[in-house]
Amino acid sequence: MKQSEIKQLSTAELQEKLSETKKSYSDLKMAHAISPLENPIQLRTVRRTVARLATELTKRDGQ
């Protein structure tokens, strides 16, 4: 998910998307621990998406 897409979401949508993405990241990590993922770069991509969402929420709380 790109930063431009994230900025268009409402705060409630951001919070929902953040929780979904965190769960997805957790599931991916667990699956990777059991047997290696076909594409381990997915972990990095999802982790960075979580960071982008959290950063945007923090920005909005500060305003």
Side-chain angles (χ1 to χ4, degrees), residues 6-50:
I6 292 173
K7 286 183 179 183
Q8 294 175 355
L9 297 175
S10 70
T11 305
E13 290 173 328
L14 273 176
Q15 290 172 340
E16 181 181 330
K17 199 74 153 162
L18 180 60
S19 65
E20 288 174 9
T21 310
K22 279 184 177 181
K23 176 152 179 25
S24 170
Y25 180 65
S26 175
D27 293 343
L28 277 174
K29 269 181 61 174
M30 187 65 70
H32 186 63
I34 294 170
S35 65
L37 291 175
E38 190 173 310
N39 183 7
I41 302 300
Q42 285 177 313
L43 289 170
R44 182 190 318 164
T45 306
V46 175
R47 186 175 65 238
R48 288 180 178 177
T49 301
V50 168

